[in-house]
Structure formats: C-alpha cells, structure tokens
C-alpha cells in the first residue's frame, strides 16, 4: 500500500476513546502518514498526546492502571459544580502533553470545547495545548468546567462530538474518522467481572450522594440513578449529533466502536479497548485496500 496522508478525526467518548490509540497504531503500521488531527474530549486528549510525540509513553501509562489506580485519579468530590475535581488527572496528563502552543506542534491540531457563557462552539487551533485539552474533556457535572478568558468551557461533545468539519485538510488527503459513540450492539455481553461490579458500586455511591446533595428523595425505586441518566443522555445526544455530521460530510474511512463497549470511566479496560481500535482499523484498512464499501455508518435509530 502506498503511503497516504490522513486527516484524522477522533470522537469524544470517555474511556472508549482509548480505542483511538490502537487505531492510530494500525494506521502508522500500514504506512499512512497522519498530516493533521482534530478531536473532541477524549479524542482531543489522545490526538494532543499523539501530536506531542508521546503516545507510546501514554499507552504504557494507561495500560498499567488497575481499578484502584483509576479511582485514585478520579479524585472524587461530590458538589454542585462537578463530581471529579480533575487536578490529579491533569497532573498526570502534563507528563504526556507537551508544554507547547498548538501552533508550534509538528502537525495541525484542533480541539473542540463548548462555551456555556456565549452558547457557542470553541475551536482551539492555537494557544496552550494543555488548556485546549482541559476544556475539551470537561464533561458537565462530572469534571469541573474550565474558565477561559470570560467564558466557562465544557466538553466539546455537546456541540461537535465528531469534528469532521474542523480538521485541517490538504489536497489529496484521506479523511479518516474514529467514532466511539456508534449504536449499541447486543453482541457485547454484560460484563460480570469484579472490576465491573466495583465500578457499579462506585456509580451507586455517586447516585446516592447526588440525591442527598440535591435534597431529592425519590418516591419510587428506579433502576437508573442520576449518573446513569446523565451518561445515557450524553450518549444519545452525541449519537444524534454524529449522525448529522456524517450526513453532512462522509469520511473516506471510518471505524465505528459501539457505545456499550465501555462506560465513561472504565479506563482499567485500556488493553481491551486499544486492541479493539487496532483490530477495527486494520479491518477497515483491508476494506479500503480491496476497494470494498466502507463499513456501515450510523443507523437511523438508536437500538437498545
């Protein structure tokens, strides 16, 4: 396969965004050159780490984390601004994100955030790289918002979870997208591991603390708590926005990862998720090489 330049788009999606790492590895191993990258939320983080030249070190770090490590980094603090402070996470991220301005990176880079003050999409393609990533990943009510100039910035997935229209394009390049918010699939069996049970216990604790904080006493028992409703709503919103983005602009190659591959904070699944990204991208590259139709895009309805 001849070398081709790729304009790479990486979606939001919490821990599922670790699949971006494997997908990038597959592209590079198959002789593709990443000429530019745009990402939202976790896609902005992985894209920024790659552009900084630190993806191998970040992969080594993230795959070394166990359940206890993940909980420690989450730095839980239940309050009305957010569940997770984020200081511990971003102290670690500084090890892998270069202390550099975006315009000084070796390739064009774009991160997307949402401005709650002026109700607009914020496109970071210059300025401090770490600030851009910090703003892009600030999931509302989960991570504390990022104050930037006169604006309160939160997760870019609210406005543009798959920023196909924001990546820097070059003549003759290939537009490649990795979407980790694809429709659910029944092929993924329920995770009954000890790690998953512990994760569910943590979410139940968060749900109870939020109810106490908001002085809410449910009149009836429901299966879904505050965090379940929040994450489900964000997933649905991102799915519909991604569907619209794909209607407006179709990539040359696309990898779809089902939204039920992992929950937002299941970073202890790093090995599994990175492998999935590598395998899915490898499969898509074979289709591309053989001139087969691209893997099916988003479907019209959200299947549960």
């Amino acid at each position: 396969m001849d070398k081709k330049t790729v304009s790479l788009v990486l979606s939001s999606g919490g821990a599922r965004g670790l699949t971006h790492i494997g997908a990038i590895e597959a592209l590079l191993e198959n002789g593709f050159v990443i000429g530019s990258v745009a990402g939202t939320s976790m896609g902005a983080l992985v894209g920024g780490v790659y552009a900084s030249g630190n993806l191998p070190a970040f992969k080594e770090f993230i795959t070394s984390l166990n359940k206890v490590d993940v909980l420690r980094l989450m730095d839980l603090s239940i309050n009305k601004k957010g569940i997770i402070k984020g200081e511990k996470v971003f102290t670690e991220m500084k090890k892998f994100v270069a202390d550099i301005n975006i315009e000084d990176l070796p390739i064009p880079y774009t991160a997307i955030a949402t401005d709650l003050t002026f109700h607009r999409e914020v496109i970071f393609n210059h300025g401090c790289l770490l600030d851009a990533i910090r703003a892009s990943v600030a999931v509302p009510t989960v991570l504390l918002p990022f104050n930037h100039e006169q604006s309160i910035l939160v997760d870019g997935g609210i406005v543009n979870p798959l920023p196909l229209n924001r990546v820097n394009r070059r003549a003759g390049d290939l537009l490649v997208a990795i979407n980790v918010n694809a429709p659910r699939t029944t092929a993924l069996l329920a995770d009954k591991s000890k790690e998953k049970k512990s994760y569910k216990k943590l979410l139940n604790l968060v749900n109870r603390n939020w109810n106490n904080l908001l002085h809410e006493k449910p009149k009836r028992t429901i299966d879904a708590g505050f965090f379940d409703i929040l994450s489900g709503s964000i997933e649905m919103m991102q799915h519909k926005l991604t569907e619209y983005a794909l209607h407006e602009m179709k990539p040359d190659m696309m990898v779809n990862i089902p939204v039920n591959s992992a929950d937002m904070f299941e970073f202890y699944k790093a090995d599994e998720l990175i492998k999935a990204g590598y395998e899915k991208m490898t499969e898509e590259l074979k289709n591309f090489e053989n001139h087969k139709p691209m893997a099916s895009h988003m479907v019209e309805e959200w299947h549960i």
Side-chain angles (χ1 to χ4, degrees), residues 31-280:
F32 286 81
V33 175
I34 298 174
S36 61
V37 61
T40 297
S41 197
M42 195 62 188
L45 172 58
V46 174
V49 171
Y50 170 75
S52 298
N54 294 320
L55 194 61
F58 178 69
K59 177 185 176 181
E60 182 178 355
F61 162 74
I62 202 71
T63 54
S64 71
L65 299 180
N66 58 32
K67 176 188 62 181
V68 175
D69 295 328
V70 172
L71 295 180
R72 176 181 58 83
L73 286 173
M74 286 172 67
D75 195 16
L76 288 175
S77 176
I78 309 295
N79 58 61
K80 291 186 178 180
K81 290 184 178 180
I83 295 172
I84 301 173
K85 291 181 181 179
E87 283 88 347
K88 290 183 179 179
V89 173
F90 285 97
T91 296
E92 291 295 329
M93 288 305 99
K94 288 178 182 178
K95 299 176 182 178
F96 308 104
V97 177
D99 183 15
I100 191 172
N101 283 336
I102 294 171
E103 57 268 31
D104 295 325
L105 290 168
I107 61 172
Y109 167 86
T110 304
I112 305 300
T114 301
D115 185 342
L116 294 183
T117 304
F118 296 101
H119 293 182
R120 62 185 180 182
E121 176 182 1
V122 177
I123 303 164
F124 284 97
N125 50 27
H126 65 278
C128 176
L129 175 61
L130 188 62
D131 285 352
I133 293 172
R134 177 65 182 86
S136 187
V137 303
V139 180
T141 74
V142 176
L143 281 168
L144 294 177
F146 182 74
N147 294 319
H148 180 70
E149 297 177 350
Q150 295 181 332
S151 297
I152 299 173
L153 304 184
V154 296
D155 196 302
I158 293 175
V159 290
N160 198 348
L162 188 68
L164 295 165
N165 60 334
R166 302 305 184 192
V167 69
N168 189 294
R169 300 294 304 276
R170 297 179 182 180
D173 70 0
L174 291 171
L175 181 60
V176 177
I178 298 129
N179 170 38
V180 301
N181 298 308
R184 296 171 181 263
T185 174
T186 55
L188 293 173
L189 300 177
D191 187 347
K192 298 181 180 180
S193 66
K194 291 182 179 179
E195 289 83 0
K196 183 67 174 185
K197 290 180 180 178
S198 297
Y199 178 81
K200 287 298 184 183
K201 286 181 180 179
L202 174 64
L203 294 192
N204 288 336
L205 173 64
V206 170
N207 286 330
R208 288 198 302 271
N209 285 340
W210 265 103
N211 285 340
N212 293 334
L213 180 67
L214 300 175
H215 306 292
E216 292 183 359
K217 295 182 179 180
K219 296 181 180 179
R220 61 187 179 87
T221 301
I222 57 175
D223 292 332
F226 171 86
F227 193 83
D228 300 315
I229 294 171
L230 171 68
S231 59
S233 299
I234 291 175
E235 287 174 5
M236 182 65 189
M237 175 186 65
Q238 291 183 140
H239 164 70
K240 297 306 292 184
L241 288 172
T242 299
E243 188 179 64
Y244 174 77
L246 289 169
H247 177 75
E248 294 296 310
M249 183 179 297
K250 288 183 168 46
D252 298 295
M253 285 189 284
M254 181 165 173
V255 168
N256 278 317
I257 302 294
V259 75
N260 59 327
S261 297
D263 288 344
M264 187 180 298
F265 297 123
E266 290 187 305
F267 290 97
Y268 59 84
K269 289 184 174 182
D271 275 320
E272 173 187 336
L273 292 166
I274 292 170
K275 181 180 178 182
Y278 181 89
E279 291 177 347
K280 290 288 187 180

